[in-house]
Amino acid sequence: MFEQVRDQGAVVPGPWHLEVAHVLLQAEKRGRITTADVTMRMDLIAELPIATDNEATARAWHEILALARTQGLTTYDATYLELAIRRGLPLVTRDEALIAAAERTGVAIAE
């Protein structure tokens, strides 16, 4: 996935940055990685051509909430699906519920 993003870029919703920071912090707290590892990984991620789509806030109470309801997703997961639908982009995820919702809505899953 790293190589694909490095070569083709990616678009993420605003909350993605918080989610990445959270995952890395939890891994550090559990002793799976060090503080230096967190810094290194954040520096690597910052070098990737990742664009932030900031429309999630404006769409949260309508499109995203409706999508979460109809697809049985959390609003966080629906944010990613809504972005993929709106931009016509494939979705990169390993989340089973999100994959199923993507399939039901015609969103491709990136390999």
Side-chain angles (χ1 to χ4, degrees):
M1 186 178 352
F2 177 84
E3 289 82 11
Q4 184 177 4
V5 172
R6 180 195 66 210
D7 297 342
Q8 299 174 15
V11 179
V12 298
W16 178 83
H17 303 278
L18 295 171
E19 291 187 59
V20 170
H22 175 74
V23 166
L24 291 173
L25 180 60
Q26 291 306 307
E28 178 186 335
K29 284 181 176 181
R30 292 185 175 112
R32 294 182 182 144
I33 60 176
T34 66
T35 301
D37 291 331
V38 170
T39 301
M40 179 196 64
R41 290 172 190 211
M42 294 300 288
D43 289 344
L44 285 172
I45 292 168
E47 294 294 320
L48 293 172
I50 297 174
T52 303
D53 179 284
N54 291 311
E55 291 189 36
T57 302
R59 295 173 177 276
W61 291 348
H62 300 287
E63 295 92 344
I64 293 171
L65 183 59
L67 195 57
R69 278 188 183 127
T70 62
Q71 296 302 321
L73 298 171
T74 66
T75 53
Y76 295 106
D77 287 347
T79 300
Y80 291 90
L81 184 57
E82 186 278 330
L83 175 61
I85 292 168
R86 180 167 35 88
R87 294 262 189 127
L89 297 170
L91 190 61
V92 178
T93 185
R94 292 184 181 168
D95 183 279
E96 302 269 336
L98 192 48
I99 290 170
E103 290 172 351
R104 287 190 299 270
T105 58
V107 171
I109 299 296
E111 302 275 331

